[in-house]
Amino acid sequence: MKRTEQISKLNDSNVEWDVIIIGGGASGLGTAVDAATRGYKTILFEANDFAKATSSRSTKLVHGGVRYLAQGDVSLVKEALRERGLLERNASHLAKKQSFVIPIYKWFDGPFYTIGLKLYDMLSKKLSLGKSVHINKEKTIEQLPTIKKEKLRGGVVYYDGQFDDSRLAVNLAQTAVENGATVINHIKVTDLLKDNAGKIIGVKVKDALYGNEYNVKGKAIFNATGVFTNDILNMNDPNHKKTVVPSQGIHLVLDKSFLPGDSALMIPKTSDGRVLFAVPWHNRIVVGTTDILVEHPSLEPRALEQEIEFVLSTASQYLTKKPTRKDVLTVFAGQRPLAAPEKEGESTKEVSRSHKIMVSNTGLISIIGGKWTTYRQMAEDFINKAIQINKIPNKPCKTENLSIHGNIPAEKVDRTNHLYIYGADIPEILKLQQENSEYAEKIHPNHDYTKAEIIWAIRTEMAEKVEDILARRVRLLFIDARAAIDCAETVAKIMAKELGHDNQWIEKEVNEFRDLAKGYLLVDY
């Protein structure tokens, strides 16, 4: 997956694409895979890097949504549980079964959650990850060694999925390219092309790295820009009704000592109205999330003080080792692209997480809402809508059993080796280390990431900037922001040598990344 090769396909302005996708997050990349595997001539443009916004900032869960079941949204839960099972099968190197424990402090919560989670199991049918069970106090402490023991009566164990979001995004981009799609990051749609009747016939794009502009014509134009959906809709029609409201959630990343063991903690009811998770991830603990409406979408949202205090104080109510600001290795914020409430004054907690597809008068097709777990179904529905309105010929969806790039049998995934996220590509990374001993060197003494992974990201995963690598190829920014800042220069020098950039580029990239990464720290660097 080389950017220069992908860009070269834009040189012929007479080409008409079947499918043009704006946005390289979960829904956009999923749509590129769906379209390409059906045999449509497909191109995707991402203004920044794949999964730069919402799609790299999730709770790292592939889940049906226990709280949606409590709200009575059974159809959404059924769909998500089915998709959870498919993802675990189609990307076993990235998605896995995760045990969760709900601690019980009131006697009636035990039967209440046990019955609810039995229904959750039942809805997942043959794609169930395991049966929910009620456990006693001793077993609850065994699974959650640092749980608050005062008044603890027991717990309920259930199973959901856990994954690496931006790694899945990169693998989806690779899968799309392997199936004939053209997929390009750092290329921004600057205008929509229309015919004399005002119907959309293409897009105008600009290469954010090198400045070149292109007109690209296509039959079906898809707006998959998440929290930025309104921007493209504005481009299409300045008088359109606001369709997306961003809701912000934050996560704090802590050392594993705050919740040792393999189980995740789930608190179903907090004062925020959302559930609180503490989930093991890359040998750290990700704790979140919050739900706060924000007025404007942001590419780099910042955690609000009230959100940080909420997560720290709520976690402290349940953990014997109480986290403080100085314990936070990284804080990251993400914004969910929720469908704007139908009724005035309706809260985001009442807005369905189901996705919606809209067709504008010009023929622009937009998707809003949804979540990572259901990305494949969202993409299928998106393409089916274009077929339904006669933009493209009818061809059947082929993604239900499609193996995603890197997929290997679940029993062969060794999660004790940090390279497990590369799945089938592991031998190629090891080969790089064998061919050049320098590539076997770590980029930071406290972490296992090696220079070979940087080379691999540049040569095969379209990484163009230091941030692309440290935030979304190797996940160092999301695991330990200080360490990411410390090795930014090392990464920049490797990239400059590989991509032919000068010292001025290195300095600019390092400064840019350090400024960005400081926003992921709670205590000054």
Side-chain angles (χ1 to χ4, degrees):
M1 192 169 73
K2 297 186 189 302
R3 192 172 185 273
T4 48
E5 287 175 12
Q6 299 289 293
I7 286 261
S8 68
K9 296 176 187 178
L10 297 178
N11 291 328
D12 185 353
S13 58
N14 295 318
V15 171
E16 185 183 38
W17 300 81
D18 294 320
V19 168
I20 297 176
I21 301 158
I22 311 169
S27 53
L29 290 165
T31 304
V33 171
D34 187 293
T37 51
R38 293 197 204 204
Y40 300 119
K41 188 172 178 61
T42 302
I43 190 163
L44 176 147
F45 299 111
E46 163 53 45
N48 293 279
D49 184 32
F50 307 123
K52 157 72 179 174
T54 308
S55 297
S56 59
R57 300 160 186 273
S58 73
T59 313
K60 322 304 175 198
L61 298 180
V62 188
H63 62 135
V66 172
R67 78 188 185 96
Y68 308 139
L69 188 60
Q71 292 168 358
D73 201 341
V74 175
S75 60
L76 174 62
V77 174
K78 274 175 80 172
E79 177 183 85
L81 287 171
R82 176 175 173 273
E83 292 300 317
R84 179 192 73 178
L86 292 177
L87 184 59
E88 203 206 358
R89 196 170 68 195
N90 296 337
S92 292
H93 62 306
L94 291 177
K96 73 175 184 78
K97 179 169 86 171
Q98 174 67 56
S99 62
F100 288 78
V101 181
I102 300 174
I104 302 300
Y105 292 94
K106 295 173 184 168
W107 72 267
F108 52 82
D109 282 349
F112 176 77
Y113 291 124
T114 304
I115 292 165
L117 288 163
K118 289 286 183 193
L119 175 60
Y120 194 62
D121 297 343
M122 197 170 70
L123 290 172
S124 58
K125 298 179 179 173
K126 62 181 181 183
L127 292 172
S128 170
L129 300 181
K131 288 183 178 176
S132 302
V133 290
H134 189 281
I135 56 174
N136 62 24
K137 180 178 178 178
E138 288 68 33
K139 285 199 171 164
T140 303
I141 294 167
E142 197 179 299
Q143 296 235 26
L144 303 172
T146 50
I147 195 69
K148 184 186 81 170
K149 297 164 185 68
E150 186 189 344
K151 295 185 180 175
L152 181 69
R153 291 174 173 270
V156 180
V157 178
Y158 75 99
Y159 297 90
D160 243 326
Q162 193 254 22
F163 81 133
D164 188 310
D165 46 17
S166 73
R167 288 301 316 170
L168 178 57
V170 170
N171 287 165
L172 286 173
Q174 290 170 305
T175 307
V177 168
E178 285 158 7
N179 282 280
T182 298
V183 172
I184 317 170
N185 59 358
H186 299 291
I187 190 157
K188 186 177 176 64
V189 170
T190 55
D191 205 357
L192 303 177
L193 306 176
K194 294 176 182 174
D195 63 14
N196 292 335
K199 298 297 181 185
I200 190 164
I201 55 166
V203 295
K204 184 175 185 177
V205 298
K206 182 174 183 178
D207 188 336
L209 300 180
Y210 301 103
N212 299 331
E213 292 187 305
Y214 307 88
N215 285 345
V216 186
K217 301 225 175 113
K219 295 171 185 166
I221 319 299
F222 295 85
N223 175 14
T225 52
V227 291
F228 300 101
T229 298
N230 289 323
D231 293 352
I232 301 299
L233 288 172
N234 276 336
M235 205 180 275
N236 181 59
D237 173 12
N239 300 314
H240 87 96
K241 182 186 167 191
K242 188 175 182 181
T243 56
V244 171
V245 289
S247 165
Q248 180 160 300
I250 73 153
H251 299 83
L252 307 181
V253 180
L254 303 170
D255 182 78
K256 193 84 171 69
S257 61
F258 285 89
L259 191 69
D262 298 323
S263 290
L265 167 68
M266 196 272 235
I267 306 299
K269 271 187 182 171
T270 67
S271 58
D272 173 67
R274 285 187 65 82
V275 299
L276 185 91
F277 291 104
V279 185
W281 187 66
H282 291 313
N283 208 31
R284 298 290 185 280
I285 298 294
V286 176
V287 186
T289 178
T290 52
D291 192 352
I292 288 181
L293 268 180
V294 288
E295 205 164 322
H296 301 292
S298 170
L299 202 56
E300 267 299 329
R302 291 283 177 250
L304 303 173
E305 198 56 42
Q306 69 200 85
E307 295 181 286
I308 295 163
E309 285 306 316
F310 169 78
V311 174
L312 284 173
S313 66
T314 307
S316 295
Q317 288 170 35
Y318 294 95
L319 299 176
T320 52
K321 185 174 181 183
K322 301 186 185 309
T324 64
R325 294 176 74 91
K326 65 178 175 50
D327 297 312
V328 176
L329 300 168
T330 288
V331 55
F332 62 91
Q335 293 179 345
R336 306 173 192 90
L338 301 185
E342 298 287 335
K343 303 174 205 134
E344 207 170 319
E346 193 177 17
S347 81
T348 60
K349 299 173 196 68
E350 295 162 320
V351 176
S352 173
R353 263 44 176 186
S354 297
H355 58 279
K356 294 181 183 177
I357 296 168
M358 307 175 309
V359 182
S360 302
N361 293 335
T362 61
L364 176 69
I365 313 167
S366 301
I367 192 164
I368 54 174
K371 56 180 186 170
W372 249 123
T373 306
T374 55
Y375 88 89
R376 191 209 64 82
Q377 184 65 57
M378 289 164 64
E380 182 180 339
D381 293 347
F382 213 10
I383 293 294
N384 285 348
K385 176 58 78 174
I387 294 168
Q388 187 189 326
I389 61 172
N390 299 315
K391 289 286 184 185
I392 46 179
N394 191 355
K395 296 180 183 182
C397 176
K398 297 184 176 179
T399 56
E400 193 170 309
N401 299 306
L402 179 74
S403 203
I404 291 161
H405 181 97
N407 190 27
I408 57 174
E411 62 273 13
K412 292 190 176 177
V413 181
D414 176 14
R415 293 180 194 278
T416 62
N417 178 351
H418 85 285
L419 291 175
Y420 78 85
I421 54 169
Y422 295 98
D425 289 332
I426 293 173
E428 295 299 319
I429 293 169
L430 295 177
K431 191 174 161 192
L432 282 172
Q433 293 178 359
Q434 287 154 8
E435 288 171 356
N436 185 335
S437 58
E438 187 192 336
Y439 292 167
E441 294 172 8
K442 289 181 177 185
I443 59 169
H444 192 280
N446 299 343
H447 296 272
D448 291 332
Y449 304 118
T450 64
K451 291 180 179 178
E453 291 164 76
I454 312 307
I455 297 293
W456 180 256
I458 299 163
R459 291 181 187 175
T460 72
E461 296 180 347
M462 219 182 275
E464 295 289 327
K465 295 175 74 62
V466 168
E467 183 201 336
D468 297 351
I469 288 179
L470 288 175
R472 291 172 293 277
R473 303 304 184 280
V474 307
R475 302 308 305 272
L476 196 49
L477 180 60
F478 284 77
I479 286 167
D480 185 343
R482 265 187 179 72
I485 291 169
D486 290 342
C487 61
E489 190 170 349
T490 300
V491 171
K493 285 177 177 173
I494 295 169
M495 294 186 80
K497 187 177 177 184
E498 191 72 17
L499 294 168
H501 295 308
D502 58 16
N503 287 338
Q504 196 177 347
W505 181 90
I506 294 172
E507 188 180 346
K508 180 173 176 285
E509 277 292 307
V510 170
N511 289 337
E512 266 183 27
F513 179 77
R514 284 177 176 165
D515 286 346
L516 173 108
K518 283 172 187 173
Y520 289 68
L521 292 169
L522 290 189
V523 179
D524 287 345
Y525 180 74

